[in-house]
Amino acid sequence: MKLLCLDIPQPGASLDKYQPHMLNEARHAWQLYKSGVVRDMYFRQDRPGVAILAEADSVEAARQALREFPLAKAGLIDWDVIPLGPFLNWETLFAPGNAG
């Protein structure tokens, strides 16, 4: 299952509070990348934070891996985990009457 995972800063979180955890945060991300859970990771452009494209057997399996990030363990972030599926509406482009 492919998932879009967006970090959610928790009340009281700040870049200063994040700083002591950042090295271990990067190490954990690397471990998840090597294990195939993290497929892509991006810095958000609208605010400080990350967006992760992940692979897991379920939303709950992804949440379990994300809970192990040091910032999550410290209560500084939570995660919004959005399951993704294939875009099946391509067929409507090729339906009779839509050919161009």
Side-chain angles (χ1 to χ4, degrees):
M1 169 179 276
K2 191 173 293 272
L3 306 121
L4 174 61
C5 308
L6 304 171
D7 68 323
I8 304 169
Q10 296 301 287
S14 68
L15 295 178
D16 287 339
K17 290 183 180 178
Y18 288 0
Q19 193 54 43
H21 305 283
M22 295 313 295
L23 184 57
N24 287 331
E25 190 83 353
R27 286 183 177 134
H28 184 67
W30 176 239
Q31 292 304 314
L32 289 179
Y33 182 80
K34 290 192 313 182
S35 72
V37 173
V38 169
R39 295 297 189 177
D40 288 302
M41 189 171 199
Y42 301 93
F43 281 120
R44 294 182 60 152
Q45 300 300 295
D46 58 336
R47 65 164 175 80
V50 296
I52 294 174
L53 290 175
E55 289 276 342
D57 290 334
S58 65
V59 169
E60 186 53 36
R63 286 188 192 285
Q64 286 176 350
L66 295 167
R67 283 186 200 118
E68 295 301 314
F69 271 102
L71 290 176
K73 284 183 163 185
L76 296 171
I77 63 169
D78 196 4
W79 293 93
D80 190 10
V81 180
I82 304 163
L84 304 173
F87 183 77
L88 300 177
N89 290 349
W90 293 113
E91 291 176 3
T92 61
L93 295 174
F94 308 109
N98 287 344

